[in-house]
């Protein structure tokens, strides 16, 4: 592999530059302070994200395309044959805001004195349920050696979610397009083995979580059906999620004397108009899918912090008539690879059949779900 330029966001919230054979690595976990920019370290990130930059050709590997305010993709010849399918699936992808708080023990009234937010993506699986990564909504986080506990989880399905413009975090509960959700699965009942990509074990066992709406929900809900590809290699995959914003100034300062690399970063930051908004990220035809219960799928779609929990869709051989997906994006490991949980993985099958799938959904989507249900049957996974 040719040397490529990487940028990564470190644990102190600053953007750093180095040169290596690794791709861009970014923390997937943010604090409210990190969103708003004070000089304090964010909650420690636990998942990397990768954007591959071809420094020889001065371009990013893959393509990133934004959505307009009407939930339509910005025109692109890259997506034209599948534009309708991708737009339909994208409507079922939302941005997840998980609020954490810490109470001051010295105050008798126990008032909350500090709040942090973790942002990610989620996929609507039914009119009532969403799936996201567990590491985005786990019960506790440690920040500056202080433990924060989960307070509330929110999700929105609008395409533009810029904090400070479309959304103010202090009043997140006041928006009619943002919905409170809660975790429904009992994690102690989930007994799934560790999962790997080649010899690398994923950081979290059972890194998926099912959410449901607490009180109100969207009046018109688009949900996505699991699609199992027939092929397992050389797949044309795409990712839909909500990347968080990354500062441009540090990139610009670092590459001020290198026009070629600065052009690469400048091109990369043209994508900045889509940060915090829903994006479509497409990789070259080198994605993999797996039916192995202990393995993960791989893709090279450009992803940034905030994309965990987003859709991985397959364009290869996909004739499904409904909005669909083939996996849930997790993040990356230190092997130049982005990873996702395939819909035929026992963890997903267990959660989907136990908490989401109903008899009416089976009747409505009998043809589309036939392969998935057959896989579940061979693994002795039932509702």
């Amino acid at each position: 592999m040719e040397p490529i330029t990487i940028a990564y966001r470190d644990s102190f919230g600053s953007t750093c530059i180095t040169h290596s054979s690794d791709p861009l690595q970014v923390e997937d976990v943010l604090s409210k302070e990190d969103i708003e920019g004070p000089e304090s370290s964010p909650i420690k990130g636990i998942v990397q994200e990768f954007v591959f930059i071809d420094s020889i050709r001065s371009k990013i590997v893959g393509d990133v395309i934004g959505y307009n305010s009407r939930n339509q993709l910005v025109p692109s010849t890259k997506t034209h044959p599948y534009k309708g399918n991708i737009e339909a699936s994208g409507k079922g992808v939302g941005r997840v805001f998980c609020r954490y708080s810490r109470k001051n023990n010295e105050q008798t009234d126990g008032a909350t004195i500090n709040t942090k937010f973790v942002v990610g993506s989620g996929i609507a699986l039914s009119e009532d349920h969403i799936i996201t990564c567990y590491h985005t909504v786990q019960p506790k986080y440690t920040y500056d050696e202080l433990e924060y506990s989960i307070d509330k989880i929110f999700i929105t399905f609008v395409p533009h979610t810029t904090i400070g413009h479309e959304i103010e975090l202090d009043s997140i509960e006041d928006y009619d397009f943002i919905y409170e959700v809660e975790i429904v699965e009992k994690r102690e009942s989930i007994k799934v083995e560790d999962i790997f990509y080649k010899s690398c074990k994923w950081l979290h066992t059972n890194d998926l979580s099912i959410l449901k709406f607490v009180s109100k929900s969207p009046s018109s809900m688009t949900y996505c059906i699991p699609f199992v590809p027939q092929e397992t290699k050389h797949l044309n995959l795409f990712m839909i999620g909500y990347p968080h914003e990354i500062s441009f100034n540090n990139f610009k300062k670092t590459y001020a004397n290198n026009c070629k690399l600065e052009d690469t970063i400048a091109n990369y930051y043209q994508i900045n108009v889509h940060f915090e908004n829903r994006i479509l990220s497409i990789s070259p035809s080198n994605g993999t899918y797996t039916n192995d219960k202990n393995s993960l799928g791989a893709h090279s779609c450009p992803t940034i912090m905030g994309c965990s929990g987003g859709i991985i869709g397959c364009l290869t051989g996909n004739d499904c008539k409904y909005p669909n997906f083939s996996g849930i994006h997790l993040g990356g490991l230190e092997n130049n690879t982005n990873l996702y949980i395939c819909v035929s993985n026992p963890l997903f099958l267990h959660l989907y059949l136990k908490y989401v799938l109903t008899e009416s959904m089976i009747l409505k989507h009998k043809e589309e779900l036939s392969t998935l249900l057959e896989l579940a049957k061979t693994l002795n996974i039932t509702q």
Side-chain angles (χ1 to χ4, degrees):
M1 182 176 180
E2 296 290 343
I4 55 179
T5 301
I6 73 160
Y8 68 94
R9 193 178 184 85
D10 69 11
S11 60
F12 295 96
S14 59
T15 302
C16 307
I17 300 297
T18 186
H19 296 282
S20 170
S21 59
D22 294 328
L24 185 147
Q25 309 165 27
V26 197
E27 288 187 358
D28 204 49
V29 182
L30 303 178
S31 68
K32 184 178 177 183
E33 281 79 1
D34 186 47
I35 289 171
E36 298 178 347
E39 295 179 359
S40 61
S41 60
I43 298 175
K44 178 63 178 176
I46 53 175
V47 173
Q48 296 176 324
E49 298 285 357
F50 295 87
V51 173
F52 298 83
I53 302 176
D54 184 339
S55 59
I56 303 300
R57 298 176 180 83
S58 243
K59 62 179 293 186
I60 292 172
V61 177
D63 297 280
V64 174
I65 302 164
Y67 281 73
N68 62 27
S69 60
R70 299 185 302 278
N71 258 325
Q72 299 171 333
L73 285 167
V74 175
S76 170
T77 56
K78 298 279 185 184
T79 63
H80 178 69
Y82 303 95
K83 186 172 184 290
N85 184 299
I86 293 174
E87 285 181 343
S89 297
K91 291 178 182 178
V93 181
R95 192 178 193 195
V96 176
F97 299 83
C98 190
R99 187 171 68 194
Y100 291 83
S101 62
R102 182 177 69 86
K103 293 183 178 180
N104 187 347
N105 295 329
E106 295 178 0
Q107 295 185 11
T108 56
D109 59 3
T112 298
I113 64 166
N114 210 345
T115 299
K116 309 289 181 187
F117 277 84
V118 173
V119 296
S121 302
I123 308 165
L125 298 181
S126 72
E127 293 180 349
D128 303 307
H129 296 91
I130 300 102
I131 194 166
T132 189
C133 288
Y134 176 72
H135 70 253
T136 300
V137 296
Q138 58 187 313
K140 296 182 183 296
Y141 271 114
T142 300
Y143 168 73
D144 279 350
E145 299 183 352
L146 297 173
E147 187 175 78
Y148 286 74
S149 299
I150 193 169
D151 177 20
K152 290 185 177 182
I153 310 170
F154 306 93
I155 191 168
T156 181
F157 293 92
V158 298
H160 295 173
T161 64
T162 307
I163 295 168
H165 185 61
E166 279 90 8
I167 295 173
E168 294 290 347
L169 294 178
D170 289 338
S171 55
I172 193 168
E173 297 181 61
D174 298 336
Y175 296 96
D176 59 4
F177 57 87
I178 294 179
Y179 309 92
E180 185 181 350
V181 292
E182 62 184 3
I183 298 172
V184 299
E185 82 275 4
K186 297 183 184 300
R187 298 196 64 78
E188 61 273 14
S189 68
I190 304 174
K191 296 180 180 179
V192 180
E193 299 177 27
D194 290 332
I195 45 180
F196 297 79
Y197 178 71
K198 298 182 178 179
S199 61
C200 298
K201 185 176 77 171
W202 183 242
L203 303 173
H204 299 274
T205 302
N206 305 342
D207 196 11
L208 291 179
S209 190
I210 300 291
L211 312 173
K212 71 173 182 179
F213 296 104
V214 171
S215 54
K216 65 175 183 176
S217 60
S219 57
S220 178
M221 188 72 179
T222 297
Y223 62 86
C224 299
I225 298 297
F227 169 76
V228 181
Q230 293 183 350
E231 304 293 331
T232 58
K233 296 181 179 179
H234 308 296
L235 300 179
N236 190 359
L237 301 178
F238 64 88
M239 192 283 307
I240 301 175
Y242 288 76
H244 191 68
E245 184 178 8
I246 302 173
S247 170
F248 177 46
N249 290 334
N250 288 337
F251 281 87
K252 189 174 180 180
K253 290 176 183 178
T254 303
Y255 289 125
N257 297 319
N258 191 323
C259 295
K260 182 177 180 180
L261 291 178
E262 186 175 352
D263 288 345
T264 299
I265 298 303
N267 178 63
Y268 178 68
Y269 267 88
Q270 289 177 1
I271 303 167
N272 193 31
V273 297
H274 305 311
F275 286 171
E276 301 198 75
N277 301 330
R278 184 188 300 142
I279 59 112
L280 165 69
S281 175
I282 306 177
S283 75
S285 299
N286 60 359
T288 65
Y289 185 92
T290 178
N291 290 310
D292 183 345
K293 67 177 183 178
N294 297 118
S295 298
L296 294 168
H299 69 89
S300 56
C301 303
T303 62
I304 303 171
M305 54 183 177
C307 290
S308 288
I311 273 181
I312 296 296
C314 179
L315 300 179
T316 306
N318 191 339
D319 57 357
C320 183
K321 299 176 183 178
Y322 289 88
N324 63 88
F325 69 108
S326 296
I328 302 98
H329 172 67
L330 295 177
L333 291 175
E334 295 179 358
N335 55 7
N336 298 349
T337 308
N338 278 323
L339 302 175
Y340 70 100
I341 292 183
C342 302
V343 294
S344 52
N345 186 278
L347 171 59
F348 174 80
L349 290 172
H350 170 80
L351 294 173
Y352 188 65
L353 268 65
K354 184 174 179 62
Y355 296 102
V356 179
L357 199 60
T358 62
E359 290 298 327
S360 61
M361 288 179 65
I362 293 175
L363 289 174
K364 182 177 181 179
H365 303 291
K366 184 177 180 180
E367 180 180 351
E368 291 77 27
L369 292 173
S370 60
T371 301
L372 190 82
L373 294 177
E374 190 62 33
L375 281 171
K377 184 177 180 181
T378 61
L379 294 170
N380 295 319
I381 299 174
T382 59
Q383 287 180 282

